Amino acid sequence: MGDRGEMPIEAAPAAARQHSLEVPEKTAPLRPYGINYRVDPTVSFAEFRYWAKVEREEEREAERLYLERRGPMTLSKMVKSRFSKGVHHETKKMDERDATAAAATNPGPSTEEKGAAVDGDGKVLAASNPDEDKTAPSVAHGGSSTTSLDEEWKTAARAMRTAGWGSIFFLVTTDILGWSNTPFVFASVGYGTGVALYVVFGIAATLSGLMLWRMFTTLDSSRYPMLSYGDIFFRVFGPKTRHFINVMQSLQQFCTVMVLIFSKGRVISLLAGPQLCFIVCMIIIMAIGMVFGSIRSLQRLSWICNLSVWFNIASFISIMVAAAKYEPFFPPIFGSTILPKEKLPVKTFAGLVPDAYQQQAHGFAGIFNGVDNMVYAYSGAILFVAFMSEMRHPMDFWKGMICAQAFICVVYLFFGLFVYSYFGQYSASVIYQVINPAGLRTFNNVLNLLTGLIAVVLYFHVGMKTVYIEVFQEMFNFPPIASSRGRWMWYALGPLYWIIAFLIAAAVPNLNGIVGFVGGLFAVNFSYSLPGIAYLGWSVQSAAVLPGEGFNPETGENVVHDSGMKRLARGFMARWYIHVPCAIYALAGLATSGMGTWAAVEGLISVFGPGGTVATSYGCRSPVWG
């Protein structure tokens, strides 16, 4: 193909081998590397880990130099960074400028002054570097990763890695934050249970993020980059699991885009009135998505996600003001809940909520509705690998992720408790639709529309990138996204993705119910079960390594002394105190997913069963106006 992503490692020149102090008896094979070889089944787990260690060392040094050159962050620098071509582009320009200035003012020291080893005839044998870390892993053919890997490929591989951990905070917050139904959760389970479970699920979601971060930083490199959630499973469990995960992820992302097109079309219909055809409202969302979907870099997208966070803050503050000053707007509550159709005194509960004050169902089902919402409130880890793959220094991901999860948990608790204290049993699931006065409802509908549009673009970005890389680039040999041709292919395929999502969203009856089924089946697993399963496999393999085992960069060989169940059992028992809780964590996630799927199936049966509907959204009649 001629793409740089398929360049083999070049052997050391003959002259260099002749004058080197040591020549390995056996040199490493010329293994290809790059985007197309990141899923090479012949690359061992140990080799992935080796190159990841090399990569992290280089990133750490590059980050140190970047921060040193950049100096203290100022407002002007922050604004300029949002419109730059990326940190690597800026670093290259600074390198060229510094090199030109140095060459003009200082011809540089001689070879002897640099510390080179010289033989009796004055020939250079090898240059020494007093600052070199002798314990750092070396690379095949005795050089550093920089000298062994083609520099152009490394630059291209890192061209899209521009996001910092500050950007990750806004991306994760936009991905996960969904505060509008938190009062409904407290109305379903009460104060005590709500606070306890929100904190527990927040901690669990953070642990999942840390698991993914740990695996990513020990398995990803520019030689074999990780680009999607499925890449983790490929490197831990093999190719078949990767295909399964990629299908799950693509379907989940596509369903999310579909439901957002549908739901935000409802908001436009609510704002515009019944005179605007509902199908036109959905087309408007699709068109906006096509325009903003052309953004290929998360660095640029994080600027928009920054706005989303502030829109959310403005929205929930206005709702808290409305809850404190005005009574609820009752018509939507009476029309969509099983509460008595008359105004009763507001009631709140410290413990579990009695059946008479449940909104959706009685008994366990009513309480489970609230718990189910809490589980979904932290779902979003499906995008974490994609976020890390575009960071210039992935080791910092944990900072942005933990800050985001803490912020999200505080928002959930503060907003939910505040509004529930004033609205009690009337805290509806779509809280911005049941506040007074009407002007505030309109204001919050607009903000909800804007934040929803940003979210749909974010989900499209990751979903489309997964499809492009895993299907078009891998199967049909499309050019890399970072290339010029790849950019135009992205522009061409993006609108097609939106059109298909729109057509299905409009054609499927009860889209929310079907997406709820897909979410119960996949979303919870991506955030809880799958990180636990992958981490368990990664940790067992890491703990099973014996002395003398590992990847040898000089020969390209992976030395292992045993295999099979004996090796896995040894690895499991070596860290049983980590592996047993991890297995329980994964099983608990699977159980939660099963319960959510069961609830979604029951809902679908009631909708499509006797007395149900198969109406689609093609036409002018809006589901908002009846």
Side-chain angles (χ1 to χ4, degrees), residues 302-368:
S302 67
W303 182 253
I304 303 176
C305 292
N306 189 329
L307 293 176
S308 177
V309 173
W310 293 108
F311 287 157
N312 274 293
I313 291 174
S315 183
F316 74 69
I317 289 177
S318 68
I319 291 175
M320 288 191 295
V321 171
K325 294 189 64 175
Y326 304 98
E327 67 176 9
F329 180 58
F330 288 101
I333 300 173
F334 293 156
S336 61
T337 69
I338 60 174
L339 291 170
K341 311 304 180 185
E342 58 179 330
K343 295 181 184 179
L344 297 174
V346 169
K347 292 281 291 183
T348 59
F349 300 91
L352 294 178
V353 178
D355 286 350
Y357 296 92
Q358 289 285 355
Q359 295 184 29
Q360 302 295 336
H362 294 153
F364 173 75
I367 297 173
F368 180 75

Side-chain angles (χ1 to χ4, degrees), residues 154-494:
K154 290 179 72 69
T155 300
R158 294 176 177 175
M160 298 293 285
R161 297 193 173 198
T162 57
W165 72 268
S167 298
I168 294 301
F169 169 81
F170 293 108
L171 289 167
V172 172
T173 302
T174 302
D175 171 28
I176 295 177
L177 186 62
W179 47 266
S180 62
N181 65 347
T182 53
F184 165 76
V185 170
F186 285 101
S188 300
V189 301
Y191 284 119
T193 306
V195 170
L197 290 183
Y198 263 126
V199 172
V200 168
F201 284 123
I203 293 173
T206 303
L207 286 175
S208 292
L210 291 174
M211 291 177 187
L212 293 173
W213 166 74
R214 179 63 174 158
M215 289 184 287
F216 182 92
T217 55
T218 56
L219 295 174
D220 164 79
S221 65
S222 57
R223 182 182 293 263
Y224 303 117
M226 294 179 66
L227 303 177
S228 66
Y229 206 106
D231 287 352
I232 288 181
F233 278 77
F234 168 81
R235 299 180 190 203
V236 175
F237 298 114
K240 292 183 179 179
T241 57
R242 169 178 167 265
H243 296 315
F244 176 69
I245 295 297
N246 284 338
V247 170
M248 288 175 61
Q249 180 178 2
S250 299
L251 182 59
Q252 172 65 24
Q253 297 295 116
F254 190 71
C255 285
T256 303
V257 172
M258 284 195 303
V259 76
L260 284 171
I261 290 176
F262 180 78
S263 62
K264 301 314 164 188
R266 289 169 59 104
V267 175
I268 289 182
S269 178
L270 189 65
L271 293 170
Q275 64 272 16
L276 182 63
C277 287
F278 183 66
I279 194 71
V280 175
C281 299
M282 295 178 67
I283 290 175
I284 292 173
I285 300 296
M286 179 189 69
I288 294 174
M290 286 181 179
V291 173
F292 287 97
S294 61
I295 300 174
R296 294 176 301 144
S297 170
L298 285 177
Q299 170 74 2
R300 304 286 177 84
L301 199 57
S302 67
W303 182 253
I304 303 176
C305 292
N306 189 329
L307 293 176
S308 177
V309 173
W310 293 108
F311 287 157
N312 274 293
I313 291 174
S315 183
F316 74 69
I317 289 177
S318 68
I319 291 175
M320 288 191 295
V321 171
K325 294 189 64 175
Y326 304 98
E327 67 176 9
F329 180 58
F330 288 101
I333 300 173
F334 293 156
S336 61
T337 69
I338 60 174
L339 291 170
K341 311 304 180 185
E342 58 179 330
K343 295 181 184 179
L344 297 174
V346 169
K347 292 281 291 183
T348 59
F349 300 91
L352 294 178
V353 178
D355 286 350
Y357 296 92
Q358 289 285 355
Q359 295 184 29
Q360 302 295 336
H362 294 153
F364 173 75
I367 297 173
F368 180 75
N369 278 332
V371 176
D372 198 35
N373 273 273
M374 278 188 273
V375 175
Y376 284 106
Y378 291 101
S379 294
I382 189 173
L383 303 185
F384 285 3
V385 174
F387 291 165
M388 286 184 279
S389 72
E390 297 198 26
M391 290 188 70
R392 66 173 182 267
H393 189 47
M395 291 297 292
D396 284 344
F397 172 80
W398 68 272
K399 300 177 184 177
M401 188 270 297
I402 289 181
C403 289
Q405 297 282 20
F407 173 76
I408 290 166
C409 185
V410 170
V411 168
Y412 285 168
L413 293 177
F414 184 76
F415 179 78
L417 291 170
F418 187 94
V419 175
Y420 177 58
S421 297
Y422 284 98
F423 279 9
Q425 72 271 30
Y426 298 115
S427 301
S429 58
V430 188
I431 195 66
Y432 53 85
Q433 299 284 7
V434 298
I435 60 173
N436 277 312
L440 269 182
R441 285 200 302 275
T442 302
F443 172 73
N444 278 279
N445 278 325
V446 171
L447 291 180
N448 177 263
L449 176 63
L450 293 174
T451 56
L453 288 173
I454 294 171
V456 76
V457 170
L458 177 63
Y459 279 99
F460 159 78
H461 175 91
V462 177
M464 180 61 196
K465 188 167 287 186
T466 301
V467 172
Y468 185 93
I469 293 172
E470 306 298 343
V471 178
F472 292 103
Q473 190 170 328
E474 183 173 329
M475 298 177 62
F476 299 107
N477 296 325
F478 274 43
I481 295 178
S483 67
S484 177
R485 290 174 55 219
R487 179 173 69 251
W488 289 109
M489 295 306 301
W490 175 274
Y491 294 155
L493 292 172

Side-chain angles (χ1 to χ4, degrees), residues 484-567:
S484 177
R485 290 174 55 219
R487 179 173 69 251
W488 289 109
M489 295 306 301
W490 175 274
Y491 294 155
L493 292 172
L496 183 62
Y497 187 100
W498 283 102
I499 291 172
I500 295 174
F502 158 73
L503 292 174
I504 297 178
V508 174
N510 188 36
L511 179 65
N512 285 325
I514 293 175
V515 171
F517 169 75
V518 175
L521 200 59
F522 295 152
V524 174
N525 287 320
F526 274 112
S527 293
Y528 301 101
S529 317
L530 294 178
I533 293 171
Y535 188 83
L536 180 62
W538 171 87
S539 184
V540 167
Q541 291 193 53
S542 301
V545 177
L546 293 171
E549 291 186 339
F551 174 70
N552 185 344
E554 300 295 341
T555 63
E557 294 177 337
N558 179 41
V559 179
V560 291
H561 298 327
D562 61 0
S563 60
M565 290 302 300
K566 177 183 177 182
R567 185 178 184 85

